[in-house]
Amino acid sequence: MTGAVSLQNVSLSLNNNNKFIGNMVKRNGAGILSSGCRLVTISSTKFINNTASYGTGVYAEHVGVIKIIASTFARNVAKDRFNSELKKIKLKQSKNGGAIFINKSVTVAVIMSAFFNNIAWENGGSLYVNCCTFVLVSEVHSLGNIAHCRGGVAYVENINLFAVRNSSFSNNTAKSYKYAKGGAFQAKLCHNVSVVHSKFLRNSVTGDGGCIYVQMTHLLNVKHSIFLGNSAGDSGAAIAGKENTVGIMIVIKSFCLKNKAVEDGGAIIARNKIATVIFNSSFKSNSALDDGGAIDVENRQVAKILCSSFIGNTAR
């Protein structure tokens, strides 16, 4: 029950404008399934309108290095009931990774690629990564992706370093009745999450973290980034750290404008053992209907705000 190309214990180099369009599989990897490979390189490839239970375009497990370069993922869907036979299949990982699902690998690099209108019926509208050492997202553009629970674009868990560089996230959504987190991405049980020179525009979540949600993560470091017009149905329209998180949140030389939270923290909320440092950043016209028009830090935590400006923010 694998997709168009299945690879076991081999290395793969895929380039020169390959296309995977309209493939369907009951379980994982409608486009490419790779397991036990030392090196997988996918470049200049398109994955469009594929459907699987999880990891719709690319599924990789126990891979040494996987590189995805200059590729496009559009309108791929991860769901576990796209036909009647799947009603009998119950998989723990189902509905995750609308475009890509990577598990128990070493290094993951997604570079100069685009993700448009992919959907996961649970976590990671485009990208789901679990148990990897290093994950790099660089010069990636994400637009209109949807997760019906956590991580509108990406959900990462058990990662030593998750690095986002020079990327844009626009009009992505995480939505569910109670549990939605991270309109752009959620990071859970990660040691270091680093976001540099990136833009987050008009992302939304029905819960916490209109753009970024961190949970049980040691360090979130955001530098030279822009958060504009994002929204949260609960708290933290730009960035949220809640849910028994222990660690440090640092925001440096970043700009938060016109973000809106229905509850607390129009731009940022930090709770439950998160030390927060804001340096040389600007907060303008953000709003919350409860506490902290721009920033809300609670539960006896340490907060340092240095050389920053707050203009026209509103709260109750």
Side-chain angles (χ1 to χ4, degrees):
M1 290 199 233
T2 58
V5 176
S6 178
L7 304 161
Q8 307 287 328
N9 301 308
V10 298
S11 292
L12 168 69
S13 180
L14 188 71
N15 51 32
N16 294 327
N17 298 310
N18 292 287
K19 298 178 182 179
F20 293 81
I21 300 174
N23 299 288
M24 181 180 294
V25 68
K26 295 177 183 178
R27 292 197 178 181
N28 49 326
I32 297 172
L33 183 143
S34 175
S35 179
C37 301
R38 182 179 64 84
L39 173 64
V40 174
T41 302
I42 300 168
S43 64
S44 302
T45 299
K46 295 181 179 179
F47 298 83
I48 301 172
N49 290 332
N50 301 289
T51 306
S53 181
Y54 54 105
T56 304
V58 177
Y59 174 90
E61 187 169 32
H62 299 293
V63 171
V65 177
I66 179 166
K67 296 187 288 185
I68 299 172
I69 304 167
S71 294
T72 300
F73 297 80
R75 300 186 301 277
N76 301 287
V77 180
K79 58 180 180 178
D80 66 353
R81 293 189 178 183
F82 61 85
N83 64 34
S84 60
E85 292 184 34
L86 271 174
K87 294 180 181 179
K88 300 177 182 179
I89 300 174
K90 294 183 178 179
L91 301 171
K92 182 179 180 180
Q93 297 167 327
S94 67
K95 302 181 287 187
N96 294 320
I100 301 170
F101 185 108
I102 300 172
N103 188 41
K104 297 179 181 177
S105 298
V106 179
T107 299
V108 179
V110 182
I111 302 169
M112 295 186 295
S113 295
F115 297 86
F116 303 125
N117 302 312
N118 300 288
I119 299 173
W121 283 86
E122 195 158 315
N123 301 322
S126 287
L127 177 65
Y128 182 101
V129 184
N130 182 49
C131 293
C132 296
T133 303
F134 174 50
V135 178
L136 171 65
V137 173
S138 180
E139 297 180 73
V140 166
H141 301 286
S142 303
L143 174 66
N145 301 282
I146 298 172
H148 284 271
C149 194
R150 298 179 180 229
V153 176
Y155 178 92
V156 296
E157 184 171 350
N158 292 301
I159 309 298
N160 186 51
L161 172 58
F162 175 49
V164 178
R165 299 286 184 271
N166 302 305
S167 295
S168 66
F169 302 81
S170 303
N171 298 100
N172 304 289
T173 302
K175 59 182 181 180
S176 71
Y177 177 64
K178 291 182 179 180
Y179 305 109
K181 311 288 183 185
F185 70 80
Q186 173 174 350
K188 179 180 179 181
L189 292 168
C190 297
H191 181 74
N192 188 346
V193 176
S194 175
V195 179
V196 180
H197 288 296
S198 294
K199 297 179 181 179
F200 298 82
L201 311 176
R202 300 177 302 279
N203 301 284
S204 63
V205 66
T206 56
D208 299 311
C211 299
I212 299 171
Y213 185 87
V214 290
Q215 177 185 1
M216 291 179 278
T217 290
H218 176 68
L219 172 64
L220 170 64
N221 196 347
V222 178
K223 296 181 180 179
H224 302 286
S225 294
I226 296 172
F227 300 83
L228 171 63
N230 304 286
S231 62
D234 198 327
S235 300
I239 303 170
K242 295 171 63 177
E243 208 170 350
N244 301 317
T245 303
V246 178
I248 302 169
M249 179 188 297
I250 301 173
V251 179
I252 298 174
K253 293 185 178 179
S254 294
F255 183 49
C256 296
L257 172 65
K258 295 183 179 179
N259 302 288
K260 183 178 180 179
V262 171
E263 296 293 334
D264 304 313
I268 297 173
I269 186 167
R271 288 180 180 170
N272 298 330
K273 300 181 180 180
I274 300 178
T276 305
V277 178
I278 310 294
F279 176 74
N280 199 14
S281 295
S282 298
F283 298 82
K284 185 176 180 180
S285 301
N286 302 285
S287 63
L289 298 185
D290 206 336
D291 295 328
I295 300 173
D296 182 32
V297 181
E298 298 185 13
N299 297 347
R300 302 179 182 176
Q301 301 316 309
V302 175
K304 291 186 178 181
I305 301 174
L306 306 168
C307 305
S308 296
S309 64
F310 297 81
I311 302 170
N313 303 285
T314 60
R316 62 175 178 176

